[in-house]
Amino acid sequence: MSKLNEIAVAVDTGKSKVIGALVQEAINEGIDPKDILNIGMLDAMAVVGEKFKNHVYFVPEMMVAARAMKKGLEVLRPHLAAENAKKLGKMVMGTVAGDLHDIGKNLVIMMIESVGFEVVDLGVDVPVEKFLEAASDPDVDIVGLSTLLTTTMPALEEAVKALNALPNRSQFKIMVGGAPVTQDYATFVGADGYSMDAVSAADLAKTYVA
Ligand code: B1M
């Protein structure tokens, strides 16, 4: 079995104790960290989601897979190297109220930090008030909102509407993303931008401070 397959199996079966060593071995073998992320981990997580949808896996299996993914990311993080030493800008980001998913948000944060932003992580299940308070910091260039559940899309809409009503609205951009979010939906709720993944989120963030 290839190292990337071993990593994928470790995510799928929630092997959080061994995944860190596997990721390190893959790095030592010279495998591109982006392949470790995309092929080893993200593809495996998509399989976990499919199994959940098809009632092969249930919440406990999703939880152990998520824990393994996080452990693997801890080792991978420093290898998704910084492109920029100087600070490009400041972003605040959170997962909206009612939603506890944070792997995607954390990955977006990791990528945006890696291109030179300071990112303040507001966490998960973030109430509108917390987004508003964070956005009133005059140094903030971008407010990011993530959601993974169709049931929490209204919470995203509510938060974006409230952010749009802030008196300092012209000082920051609003970026949204997450599996159920689309460009059309982002436009509909009044966000400035949408990205479908962490790499394009970092590219988009750079355009806002260029
Ligand atoms: Co949940 N879950 N989950 N879950 N979970 C999904 C999202 C689901 C699609 C599974 C399925 O049915 N196939 C489904 C949602 C269905 C829907 O809404 N239509 C679902 C459900 C139903 C639930 C519960 C309701 C289950 C239950 O309790 N019955 C429950 C809800 C809890 C809550 O939030 N209130 C629940 C719970 C959980 C766990 C806690 C067990 C765990 C989360 C652990 C954690 O995050 N710490 C979990 C997991 C792991 C998943 C799946 C399997 C994987 C999510 C993930 O991490 N993906 C997921 C199925 C799937 O996605 N295939 C599923 C990898 C991650 C890197 O991708 O988050 O999409 P993603 O992020 C991407 C992009 O979306 C984008 O970039 C990221 C990186 O490329 N992106 C942005 C994200 N945010 C962005 C912001 C941006 C820009 C881009 O700008 C600001």
Side-chain angles (χ1 to χ4, degrees), residues 42 45-46 48-50 52-53 59 62-63 66 69-70 91 93 98-105 107-108 144-151 175-179 195-199 201:
L42 293 181
M45 198 49 118
V48 171
E50 278 306 301
F52 177 76
K53 203 161 71 187
V59 172
M62 278 210 290
M63 287 181 84
M69 172 103 183
K70 281 186 174 179
M91 178 168 183
M93 173 143 170
D99 190 341
L100 303 175
H101 294 85
D102 67 355
I103 296 173
K105 166 185 70 65
L107 209 48
V108 172
L145 303 96
S146 174
T147 192
L148 261 277
L149 298 170
T150 44
T151 49
M175 269 173 69
V176 296
S195 305
M196 69 173 302
D197 58 36
V199 173

mmCIF file of all heavy atoms in Angstrom, residues 42 45-46 48-50 52-53 59 62-63 66 69-70 91 93 98-105 107-108 144-151 175-179 195-199 201, ligand 1:
data_model
loop_
_atom_site.group_PDB
_atom_site.id
_atom_site.type_symbol
_atom_site.label_atom_id
_atom_site.label_comp_id
_atom_site.label_asym_id
_atom_site.label_seq_id
_atom_site.Cartn_x
_atom_site.Cartn_y
_atom_site.Cartn_z
ATOM 1 N N LEU A 42 -8.057 14.795 2.251
ATOM 2 C CA LEU A 42 -9.368 15.354 1.871
ATOM 3 C C LEU A 42 -10.214 14.349 1.096
ATOM 4 O O LEU A 42 -11.428 14.250 1.319
ATOM 5 C CB LEU A 42 -9.185 16.645 1.070
ATOM 6 C CG LEU A 42 -8.600 17.807 1.867
ATOM 7 C CD1 LEU A 42 -8.477 19.048 0.998
ATOM 8 C CD2 LEU A 42 -9.446 18.120 3.089
ATOM 9 N N MET A 45 -11.683 12.059 3.534
ATOM 10 C CA MET A 45 -12.779 12.675 4.298
ATOM 11 C C MET A 45 -14.060 12.715 3.460
ATOM 12 O O MET A 45 -15.162 12.560 3.991
ATOM 13 C CB MET A 45 -12.353 14.071 4.745
ATOM 14 C CG MET A 45 -13.169 14.633 5.856
ATOM 15 S SD MET A 45 -13.363 13.475 7.224
ATOM 16 C CE MET A 45 -12.579 14.351 8.508
ATOM 17 N N ALA A 46 -13.900 12.895 2.150
ATOM 18 C CA ALA A 46 -15.084 12.879 1.270
ATOM 19 C C ALA A 46 -15.720 11.486 1.283
ATOM 20 O O ALA A 46 -16.954 11.356 1.285
ATOM 21 C CB ALA A 46 -14.677 13.275 -0.150
ATOM 22 N N VAL A 48 -15.595 9.416 3.807
ATOM 23 C CA VAL A 48 -16.273 9.312 5.113
ATOM 24 C C VAL A 48 -17.668 9.949 5.018
ATOM 25 O O VAL A 48 -18.660 9.382 5.480
ATOM 26 C CB VAL A 48 -15.430 9.993 6.227
ATOM 27 C CG1 VAL A 48 -16.212 10.090 7.526
ATOM 28 C CG2 VAL A 48 -14.130 9.230 6.446
ATOM 29 N N GLY A 49 -17.734 11.113 4.367
ATOM 30 C CA GLY A 49 -19.019 11.798 4.206
ATOM 31 C C GLY A 49 -20.007 10.975 3.407
ATOM 32 O O GLY A 49 -21.189 10.889 3.746
ATOM 33 N N GLU A 50 -19.518 10.328 2.343
ATOM 34 C CA GLU A 50 -20.390 9.468 1.526
ATOM 35 C C GLU A 50 -20.909 8.293 2.357
ATOM 36 O O GLU A 50 -22.092 7.942 2.284
ATOM 37 C CB GLU A 50 -19.606 8.917 0.318
ATOM 38 C CG GLU A 50 -19.519 9.871 -0.840
ATOM 39 C CD GLU A 50 -20.897 10.371 -1.294
ATOM 40 O OE1 GLU A 50 -21.734 9.531 -1.663
ATOM 41 O OE2 GLU A 50 -21.131 11.582 -1.255
ATOM 42 N N PHE A 52 -21.307 8.200 5.520
ATOM 43 C CA PHE A 52 -22.298 8.707 6.476
ATOM 44 C C PHE A 52 -23.654 8.876 5.772
ATOM 45 O O PHE A 52 -24.692 8.477 6.284
ATOM 46 C CB PHE A 52 -21.815 10.037 7.063
ATOM 47 C CG PHE A 52 -22.792 10.675 8.007
ATOM 48 C CD1 PHE A 52 -22.958 10.199 9.297
ATOM 49 C CD2 PHE A 52 -23.571 11.751 7.608
ATOM 50 C CE1 PHE A 52 -23.868 10.788 10.177
ATOM 51 C CE2 PHE A 52 -24.476 12.351 8.467
ATOM 52 C CZ PHE A 52 -24.621 11.859 9.755
ATOM 53 N N LYS A 53 -23.578 9.452 4.567
ATOM 54 C CA LYS A 53 -24.817 9.691 3.807
ATOM 55 C C LYS A 53 -25.537 8.375 3.518
ATOM 56 O O LYS A 53 -26.756 8.297 3.537
ATOM 57 C CB LYS A 53 -24.458 10.402 2.495
ATOM 58 C CG LYS A 53 -25.599 11.186 1.902
ATOM 59 C CD LYS A 53 -25.131 12.218 0.911
ATOM 60 C CE LYS A 53 -24.626 11.585 -0.364
ATOM 61 N NZ LYS A 53 -24.016 12.570 -1.267
ATOM 62 N N VAL A 59 -22.382 9.114 13.394
ATOM 63 C CA VAL A 59 -21.633 10.245 13.958
ATOM 64 C C VAL A 59 -20.309 9.814 14.638
ATOM 65 O O VAL A 59 -19.284 10.459 14.431
ATOM 66 C CB VAL A 59 -22.527 11.079 14.905
ATOM 67 C CG1 VAL A 59 -21.705 12.126 15.638
ATOM 68 C CG2 VAL A 59 -23.635 11.746 14.102
ATOM 69 N N MET A 62 -17.637 9.503 12.109
ATOM 70 C CA MET A 62 -17.248 10.827 11.577
ATOM 71 C C MET A 62 -16.344 11.545 12.570
ATOM 72 O O MET A 62 -15.396 12.228 12.203
ATOM 73 C CB MET A 62 -18.482 11.695 11.311
ATOM 74 C CG MET A 62 -19.167 11.413 10.006
ATOM 75 S SD MET A 62 -19.964 12.881 9.333
ATOM 76 C CE MET A 62 -21.328 13.128 10.446
ATOM 77 N N MET A 63 -16.664 11.386 13.857
ATOM 78 C CA MET A 63 -15.870 12.091 14.876
ATOM 79 C C MET A 63 -14.437 11.570 14.937
ATOM 80 O O MET A 63 -13.491 12.353 15.023
ATOM 81 C CB MET A 63 -16.532 11.981 16.250
ATOM 82 C CG MET A 63 -17.756 12.844 16.335
ATOM 83 S SD MET A 63 -18.535 12.765 17.927
ATOM 84 C CE MET A 63 -17.581 13.945 18.809
ATOM 85 N N ALA A 66 -12.573 12.788 11.955
ATOM 86 C CA ALA A 66 -12.230 14.208 12.101
ATOM 87 C C ALA A 66 -11.035 14.381 13.031
ATOM 88 O O ALA A 66 -10.146 15.203 12.779
ATOM 89 C CB ALA A 66 -13.440 14.971 12.641
ATOM 90 N N MET A 69 -7.941 13.417 11.180
ATOM 91 C CA MET A 69 -7.602 14.470 10.210
ATOM 92 C C MET A 69 -6.881 15.627 10.912
ATOM 93 O O MET A 69 -5.874 16.140 10.427
ATOM 94 C CB MET A 69 -8.911 14.939 9.581
ATOM 95 C CG MET A 69 -8.797 16.124 8.708
ATOM 96 S SD MET A 69 -8.866 15.628 6.991
ATOM 97 C CE MET A 69 -8.615 17.211 6.210
ATOM 98 N N LYS A 70 -7.397 16.018 12.067
ATOM 99 C CA LYS A 70 -6.774 17.126 12.803
ATOM 100 C C LYS A 70 -5.343 16.787 13.213
ATOM 101 O O LYS A 70 -4.447 17.626 13.133
ATOM 102 C CB LYS A 70 -7.590 17.456 14.056
ATOM 103 C CG LYS A 70 -8.802 18.287 13.748
ATOM 104 C CD LYS A 70 -9.487 18.715 15.028
ATOM 105 C CE LYS A 70 -10.619 19.662 14.729
ATOM 106 N NZ LYS A 70 -11.336 20.093 15.920
ATOM 107 N N MET A 91 -7.375 39.030 9.150
ATOM 108 C CA MET A 91 -8.677 38.414 8.883
ATOM 109 C C MET A 91 -9.222 37.827 10.178
ATOM 110 O O MET A 91 -8.455 37.363 11.021
ATOM 111 C CB MET A 91 -8.493 37.303 7.855
ATOM 112 C CG MET A 91 -9.767 36.543 7.525
ATOM 113 S SD MET A 91 -9.515 35.507 6.071
ATOM 114 C CE MET A 91 -11.153 34.829 5.862
ATOM 115 N N MET A 93 -12.196 34.952 11.360
ATOM 116 C CA MET A 93 -12.979 33.909 10.703
ATOM 117 C C MET A 93 -13.611 32.960 11.692
ATOM 118 O O MET A 93 -13.022 32.626 12.717
ATOM 119 C CB MET A 93 -12.046 33.127 9.768
ATOM 120 C CG MET A 93 -12.702 31.921 9.177
ATOM 121 S SD MET A 93 -12.181 31.659 7.498
ATOM 122 C CE MET A 93 -12.893 30.051 7.241
ATOM 123 N N GLY A 98 -24.707 27.529 15.390
ATOM 124 C CA GLY A 98 -25.408 26.258 15.192
ATOM 125 C C GLY A 98 -24.559 25.209 14.505
ATOM 126 O O GLY A 98 -24.933 24.043 14.454
ATOM 127 N N ASP A 99 -23.405 25.614 13.990
ATOM 128 C CA ASP A 99 -22.562 24.687 13.220
ATOM 129 C C ASP A 99 -21.251 24.439 13.950
ATOM 130 O O ASP A 99 -20.540 25.390 14.295
ATOM 131 C CB ASP A 99 -22.296 25.287 11.828
ATOM 132 C CG ASP A 99 -21.645 24.293 10.875
ATOM 133 O OD1 ASP A 99 -21.082 23.287 11.353
ATOM 134 O OD2 ASP A 99 -21.706 24.531 9.661
ATOM 135 N N LEU A 100 -20.933 23.151 14.176
ATOM 136 C CA LEU A 100 -19.736 22.792 14.941
ATOM 137 C C LEU A 100 -18.593 22.301 14.057
ATOM 138 O O LEU A 100 -17.537 21.918 14.558
ATOM 139 C CB LEU A 100 -20.090 21.699 15.959
ATOM 140 C CG LEU A 100 -21.214 22.057 16.930
ATOM 141 C CD1 LEU A 100 -21.578 20.870 17.807
ATOM 142 C CD2 LEU A 100 -20.808 23.247 17.802
ATOM 143 N N HIS A 101 -18.792 22.276 12.741
ATOM 144 C CA HIS A 101 -17.736 21.782 11.843
ATOM 145 C C HIS A 101 -16.584 22.791 11.778
ATOM 146 O O HIS A 101 -16.819 23.972 11.519
ATOM 147 C CB HIS A 101 -18.284 21.564 10.440
ATOM 148 C CG HIS A 101 -19.299 20.471 10.354
ATOM 149 N ND1 HIS A 101 -20.628 20.679 10.619
ATOM 150 C CD2 HIS A 101 -19.177 19.165 10.048
ATOM 151 C CE1 HIS A 101 -21.284 19.541 10.474
ATOM 152 N NE2 HIS A 101 -20.434 18.598 10.127
ATOM 153 N N ASP A 102 -15.357 22.304 11.999
ATOM 154 C CA ASP A 102 -14.257 23.272 11.960
ATOM 155 C C ASP A 102 -13.051 22.840 11.140
ATOM 156 O O ASP A 102 -12.083 23.585 11.027
ATOM 157 C CB ASP A 102 -13.805 23.654 13.378
ATOM 158 C CG ASP A 102 -13.148 22.522 14.138
ATOM 159 O OD1 ASP A 102 -13.116 21.390 13.627
ATOM 160 O OD2 ASP A 102 -12.647 22.780 15.248
ATOM 161 N N ILE A 103 -13.093 21.655 10.556
ATOM 162 C CA ILE A 103 -11.904 21.208 9.811
ATOM 163 C C ILE A 103 -11.674 22.096 8.588
ATOM 164 O O ILE A 103 -10.560 22.557 8.338
ATOM 165 C CB ILE A 103 -12.043 19.731 9.400
ATOM 166 C CG1 ILE A 103 -12.085 18.851 10.653
ATOM 167 C CG2 ILE A 103 -10.887 19.306 8.494
ATOM 168 C CD1 ILE A 103 -12.397 17.402 10.393
ATOM 169 N N GLY A 104 -12.754 22.355 7.837
ATOM 170 C CA GLY A 104 -12.629 23.201 6.646
ATOM 171 C C GLY A 104 -12.187 24.605 7.016
ATOM 172 O O GLY A 104 -11.286 25.177 6.397
ATOM 173 N N LYS A 105 -12.821 25.154 8.048
ATOM 174 C CA LYS A 105 -12.439 26.499 8.513
ATOM 175 C C LYS A 105 -10.953 26.525 8.893
ATOM 176 O O LYS A 105 -10.229 27.442 8.503
ATOM 177 C CB LYS A 105 -13.289 26.899 9.737
ATOM 178 C CG LYS A 105 -12.746 28.109 10.482
ATOM 179 C CD LYS A 105 -13.518 28.406 11.741
ATOM 180 C CE LYS A 105 -13.338 27.410 12.852
ATOM 181 N NZ LYS A 105 -11.964 27.324 13.434
ATOM 182 N N LEU A 107 -8.592 24.663 7.869
ATOM 183 C CA LEU A 107 -7.751 24.538 6.675
ATOM 184 C C LEU A 107 -7.673 25.862 5.923
ATOM 185 O O LEU A 107 -6.607 26.266 5.450
ATOM 186 C CB LEU A 107 -8.373 23.464 5.781
ATOM 187 C CG LEU A 107 -7.483 22.659 4.878
ATOM 188 C CD1 LEU A 107 -6.267 22.134 5.617
ATOM 189 C CD2 LEU A 107 -8.290 21.502 4.299
ATOM 190 N N VAL A 108 -8.794 26.533 5.827
ATOM 191 C CA VAL A 108 -8.810 27.845 5.171
ATOM 192 C C VAL A 108 -7.898 28.799 5.951
ATOM 193 O O VAL A 108 -7.075 29.510 5.369
ATOM 194 C CB VAL A 108 -10.254 28.404 5.074
ATOM 195 C CG1 VAL A 108 -10.244 29.845 4.578
ATOM 196 C CG2 VAL A 108 -11.094 27.544 4.138
ATOM 197 N N GLY A 144 -14.364 36.324 7.562
ATOM 198 C CA GLY A 144 -14.686 35.069 6.884
ATOM 199 C C GLY A 144 -15.716 34.271 7.655
ATOM 200 O O GLY A 144 -15.633 34.166 8.884
ATOM 201 N N LEU A 145 -16.698 33.732 6.928
ATOM 202 C CA LEU A 145 -17.736 32.924 7.568
ATOM 203 C C LEU A 145 -17.831 31.585 6.849
ATOM 204 O O LEU A 145 -17.892 31.535 5.619
ATOM 205 C CB LEU A 145 -19.094 33.615 7.515
ATOM 206 C CG LEU A 145 -19.165 35.000 8.143
ATOM 207 C CD1 LEU A 145 -18.991 36.075 7.081
ATOM 208 C CD2 LEU A 145 -20.493 35.213 8.844
ATOM 209 N N SER A 146 -17.856 30.519 7.647
ATOM 210 C CA SER A 146 -17.909 29.177 7.082
ATOM 211 C C SER A 146 -19.152 28.460 7.586
ATOM 212 O O SER A 146 -19.561 28.650 8.732
ATOM 213 C CB SER A 146 -16.652 28.416 7.536
ATOM 214 O OG SER A 146 -16.707 27.069 7.140
ATOM 215 N N THR A 147 -19.758 27.646 6.730
ATOM 216 C CA THR A 147 -20.814 26.750 7.208
ATOM 217 C C THR A 147 -20.845 25.478 6.386
ATOM 218 O O THR A 147 -20.585 25.500 5.186
ATOM 219 C CB THR A 147 -22.204 27.419 7.225
ATOM 220 O OG1 THR A 147 -23.087 26.560 7.959
ATOM 221 C CG2 THR A 147 -22.774 27.653 5.842
ATOM 222 N N LEU A 148 -21.134 24.379 7.051
ATOM 223 C CA LEU A 148 -21.155 23.064 6.398
ATOM 224 C C LEU A 148 -22.554 22.482 6.322
ATOM 225 O O LEU A 148 -22.784 21.484 5.658
ATOM 226 C CB LEU A 148 -20.271 22.100 7.215
ATOM 227 C CG LEU A 148 -18.852 21.836 6.745
ATOM 228 C CD1 LEU A 148 -18.810 20.785 5.662
ATOM 229 C CD2 LEU A 148 -18.190 23.080 6.243
ATOM 230 N N LEU A 149 -23.481 23.089 7.036
ATOM 231 C CA LEU A 149 -24.822 22.504 7.118
ATOM 232 C C LEU A 149 -25.826 23.364 6.352
ATOM 233 O O LEU A 149 -25.792 24.589 6.453
ATOM 234 C CB LEU A 149 -25.270 22.408 8.585
ATOM 235 C CG LEU A 149 -24.428 21.517 9.503
ATOM 236 C CD1 LEU A 149 -24.847 21.716 10.959
ATOM 237 C CD2 LEU A 149 -24.581 20.048 9.105
ATOM 238 N N THR A 150 -26.719 22.713 5.645
ATOM 239 C CA THR A 150 -27.775 23.479 4.969
ATOM 240 C C THR A 150 -28.663 24.168 6.023
ATOM 241 O O THR A 150 -29.152 25.269 5.792
ATOM 242 C CB THR A 150 -28.634 22.565 4.071
ATOM 243 O OG1 THR A 150 -28.928 21.370 4.784
ATOM 244 C CG2 THR A 150 -27.917 22.203 2.798
ATOM 245 N N THR A 151 -28.794 23.519 7.181
ATOM 246 C CA THR A 151 -29.658 24.081 8.227
ATOM 247 C C THR A 151 -29.084 25.361 8.854
ATOM 248 O O THR A 151 -29.816 26.101 9.506
ATOM 249 C CB THR A 151 -29.882 23.055 9.362
ATOM 250 O OG1 THR A 151 -28.615 22.528 9.733
ATOM 251 C CG2 THR A 151 -30.809 21.944 8.939
ATOM 252 N N MET A 175 -15.997 37.357 3.201
ATOM 253 C CA MET A 175 -15.809 36.135 2.404
ATOM 254 C C MET A 175 -16.599 35.001 3.023
ATOM 255 O O MET A 175 -16.595 34.850 4.250
ATOM 256 C CB MET A 175 -14.338 35.714 2.465
ATOM 257 C CG MET A 175 -13.480 36.276 1.379
ATOM 258 S SD MET A 175 -11.752 35.845 1.703
ATOM 259 C CE MET A 175 -11.772 34.083 1.425
ATOM 260 N N VAL A 176 -17.265 34.210 2.201
ATOM 261 C CA VAL A 176 -18.025 33.076 2.729
ATOM 262 C C VAL A 176 -17.632 31.793 2.003
ATOM 263 O O VAL A 176 -17.139 31.834 0.877
ATOM 264 C CB VAL A 176 -19.551 33.305 2.619
ATOM 265 C CG1 VAL A 176 -19.985 34.476 3.480
ATOM 266 C CG2 VAL A 176 -19.988 33.513 1.173
ATOM 267 N N GLY A 177 -17.882 30.668 2.658
ATOM 268 C CA GLY A 177 -17.588 29.378 2.036
ATOM 269 C C GLY A 177 -18.087 28.238 2.891
ATOM 270 O O GLY A 177 -18.656 28.442 3.968
ATOM 271 N N GLY A 178 -17.860 27.032 2.379
ATOM 272 C CA GLY A 178 -18.362 25.827 3.044
ATOM 273 C C GLY A 178 -19.169 25.029 2.040
ATOM 274 O O GLY A 178 -19.705 25.606 1.089
ATOM 275 N N ALA A 179 -19.254 23.723 2.275
ATOM 276 C CA ALA A 179 -19.819 22.820 1.266
ATOM 277 C C ALA A 179 -21.171 23.248 0.655
ATOM 278 O O ALA A 179 -21.329 23.162 -0.557
ATOM 279 C CB ALA A 179 -19.902 21.414 1.843
ATOM 280 N N SER A 195 -15.340 31.310 -1.982
ATOM 281 C CA SER A 195 -14.331 30.376 -2.506
ATOM 282 C C SER A 195 -14.786 28.973 -2.197
ATOM 283 O O SER A 195 -15.361 28.722 -1.135
ATOM 284 C CB SER A 195 -12.987 30.546 -1.812
ATOM 285 O OG SER A 195 -12.574 31.858 -1.920
ATOM 286 N N MET A 196 -14.464 28.071 -3.118
ATOM 287 C CA MET A 196 -14.920 26.699 -2.884
ATOM 288 C C MET A 196 -13.915 25.871 -2.082
ATOM 289 O O MET A 196 -14.268 24.834 -1.527
ATOM 290 C CB MET A 196 -15.284 25.994 -4.179
ATOM 291 C CG MET A 196 -14.135 25.669 -5.085
ATOM 292 S SD MET A 196 -14.720 24.670 -6.474
ATOM 293 C CE MET A 196 -15.424 23.262 -5.630
ATOM 294 N N ASP A 197 -12.656 26.346 -2.002
ATOM 295 C CA ASP A 197 -11.690 25.583 -1.206
ATOM 296 C C ASP A 197 -10.648 26.517 -0.585
ATOM 297 O O ASP A 197 -10.656 27.731 -0.835
ATOM 298 C CB ASP A 197 -11.023 24.479 -2.030
ATOM 299 C CG ASP A 197 -10.302 25.029 -3.247
ATOM 300 O OD1 ASP A 197 -9.724 26.120 -3.149
ATOM 301 O OD2 ASP A 197 -10.319 24.363 -4.298
ATOM 302 N N ALA A 198 -9.759 25.907 0.204
ATOM 303 C CA ALA A 198 -8.824 26.711 0.985
ATOM 304 C C ALA A 198 -7.797 27.436 0.108
ATOM 305 O O ALA A 198 -7.428 28.575 0.399
ATOM 306 C CB ALA A 198 -8.108 25.817 2.001
ATOM 307 N N VAL A 199 -7.377 26.787 -0.955
ATOM 308 C CA VAL A 199 -6.365 27.408 -1.807
ATOM 309 C C VAL A 199 -6.954 28.629 -2.516
ATOM 310 O O VAL A 199 -6.362 29.717 -2.526
ATOM 311 C CB VAL A 199 -5.801 26.377 -2.828
ATOM 312 C CG1 VAL A 199 -4.872 27.053 -3.825
ATOM 313 C CG2 VAL A 199 -5.068 25.260 -2.099
ATOM 314 N N ALA A 201 -9.460 30.313 -1.502
ATOM 315 C CA ALA A 201 -9.764 31.312 -0.463
ATOM 316 C C ALA A 201 -8.536 32.197 -0.206
ATOM 317 O O ALA A 201 -8.650 33.417 -0.075
ATOM 318 C CB ALA A 201 -10.205 30.625 0.831
HETATM 319 CO CO1 B1M B 1 -21.053 16.496 9.797
HETATM 320 N N1 B1M B 1 -22.181 16.683 8.214
HETATM 321 N N2 B1M B 1 -22.625 16.607 10.941
HETATM 322 N N3 B1M B 1 -19.836 16.135 11.240
HETATM 323 N N4 B1M B 1 -19.773 16.090 8.474
HETATM 324 C C1 B1M B 1 -21.506 16.804 6.930
HETATM 325 C C2 B1M B 1 -21.223 18.265 6.618
HETATM 326 C C3 B1M B 1 -22.571 16.156 5.946
HETATM 327 C C4 B1M B 1 -22.476 16.695 4.500
HETATM 328 C C5 B1M B 1 -22.447 14.614 5.978
HETATM 329 C C6 B1M B 1 -23.390 13.939 5.010
HETATM 330 O O1 B1M B 1 -24.580 13.874 5.254
HETATM 331 N N5 B1M B 1 -22.881 13.443 3.902
HETATM 332 C C7 B1M B 1 -23.906 16.526 6.670
HETATM 333 C C8 B1M B 1 -24.551 17.855 6.281
HETATM 334 C C9 B1M B 1 -25.750 17.649 5.379
HETATM 335 C C10 B1M B 1 -26.441 18.925 5.087
HETATM 336 O O2 B1M B 1 -26.416 19.877 5.805
HETATM 337 N N6 B1M B 1 -27.108 18.908 3.961
HETATM 338 C C11 B1M B 1 -23.478 16.504 8.120
HETATM 339 C C12 B1M B 1 -24.366 16.359 9.221
HETATM 340 C C13 B1M B 1 -25.817 16.072 8.856
HETATM 341 C C14 B1M B 1 -23.943 16.462 10.558
HETATM 342 C C15 B1M B 1 -24.819 16.349 11.820
HETATM 343 C C16 B1M B 1 -26.191 17.058 11.755
HETATM 344 C C17 B1M B 1 -24.958 14.827 12.106
HETATM 345 C C18 B1M B 1 -25.864 14.485 13.277
HETATM 346 O O3 B1M B 1 -25.603 14.850 14.386
HETATM 347 N N7 B1M B 1 -26.928 13.784 12.937
HETATM 348 C C19 B1M B 1 -23.898 16.974 12.895
HETATM 349 C C20 B1M B 1 -24.101 18.489 13.040
HETATM 350 C C21 B1M B 1 -23.377 19.033 14.238
HETATM 351 C C22 B1M B 1 -23.374 20.564 14.234
HETATM 352 O O4 B1M B 1 -22.557 21.158 13.572
HETATM 353 N N8 B1M B 1 -24.324 21.188 14.932
HETATM 354 C C23 B1M B 1 -22.554 16.679 12.318
HETATM 355 C C24 B1M B 1 -21.415 16.473 13.086
HETATM 356 C C25 B1M B 1 -20.167 16.166 12.575
HETATM 357 C C26 B1M B 1 -18.978 15.802 13.446
HETATM 358 C C27 B1M B 1 -18.896 16.599 14.753
HETATM 359 C C28 B1M B 1 -19.078 14.334 13.783
HETATM 360 C C29 B1M B 1 -17.785 16.004 12.432
HETATM 361 C C30 B1M B 1 -17.172 17.418 12.490
HETATM 362 C C31 B1M B 1 -15.897 17.467 13.290
HETATM 363 C C32 B1M B 1 -15.206 18.784 13.138
HETATM 364 O O5 B1M B 1 -15.341 19.527 12.164
HETATM 365 N N9 B1M B 1 -14.452 19.090 14.156
HETATM 366 C C33 B1M B 1 -18.490 15.900 11.098
HETATM 367 C C34 B1M B 1 -17.818 15.644 9.870
HETATM 368 C C35 B1M B 1 -16.356 15.274 9.957
HETATM 369 C C36 B1M B 1 -18.480 15.725 8.616
HETATM 370 C C37 B1M B 1 -17.923 15.394 7.203
HETATM 371 C C38 B1M B 1 -17.797 13.863 7.091
HETATM 372 C C39 B1M B 1 -16.591 15.995 6.849
HETATM 373 C C40 B1M B 1 -16.550 17.533 6.985
HETATM 374 C C41 B1M B 1 -15.148 17.970 6.729
HETATM 375 O O6 B1M B 1 -14.411 18.218 7.646
HETATM 376 N N10 B1M B 1 -14.736 17.968 5.440
HETATM 377 C C42 B1M B 1 -19.053 16.017 6.274
HETATM 378 C C43 B1M B 1 -19.222 15.280 4.947
HETATM 379 C C44 B1M B 1 -18.316 15.853 3.864
HETATM 380 O O7 B1M B 1 -17.973 17.018 3.851
HETATM 381 N N11 B1M B 1 -17.986 15.041 2.921
HETATM 382 C C45 B1M B 1 -20.188 16.188 7.194
HETATM 383 C C46 B1M B 1 -13.353 18.284 5.035
HETATM 384 C C47 B1M B 1 -13.184 19.791 4.965
HETATM 385 C C48 B1M B 1 -11.740 20.104 4.615
HETATM 386 O O8 B1M B 1 -14.025 20.258 3.925
HETATM 387 O O9 B1M B 1 -15.461 21.554 5.538
HETATM 388 O O10 B1M B 1 -16.095 21.380 3.084
HETATM 389 P P1 B1M B 1 -15.061 21.455 4.134
HETATM 390 O O11 B1M B 1 -14.167 22.753 3.867
HETATM 391 C C49 B1M B 1 -13.636 23.079 2.594
HETATM 392 C C50 B1M B 1 -14.573 23.929 1.720
HETATM 393 O O12 B1M B 1 -15.932 23.786 2.027
HETATM 394 C C51 B1M B 1 -14.039 25.312 1.868
HETATM 395 O O13 B1M B 1 -12.652 25.122 2.070
HETATM 396 C C52 B1M B 1 -12.454 23.978 2.901
HETATM 397 C C53 B1M B 1 -11.107 23.388 2.612
HETATM 398 O O14 B1M B 1 -10.895 23.115 1.231
HETATM 399 N N12 B1M B 1 -14.512 26.191 2.931
HETATM 400 C C54 B1M B 1 -14.384 27.551 2.802
HETATM 401 C C55 B1M B 1 -15.020 25.930 4.131
HETATM 402 N N13 B1M B 1 -15.250 27.062 4.792
HETATM 403 C C56 B1M B 1 -14.859 28.072 3.999
HETATM 404 C C57 B1M B 1 -14.850 29.468 4.208
HETATM 405 C C58 B1M B 1 -14.360 30.273 3.173
HETATM 406 C C59 B1M B 1 -13.893 29.716 1.981
HETATM 407 C C60 B1M B 1 -13.897 28.356 1.770
HETATM 408 O O15 B1M B 1 -14.283 31.608 3.258
HETATM 409 C C61 B1M B 1 -14.529 32.236 4.461
#
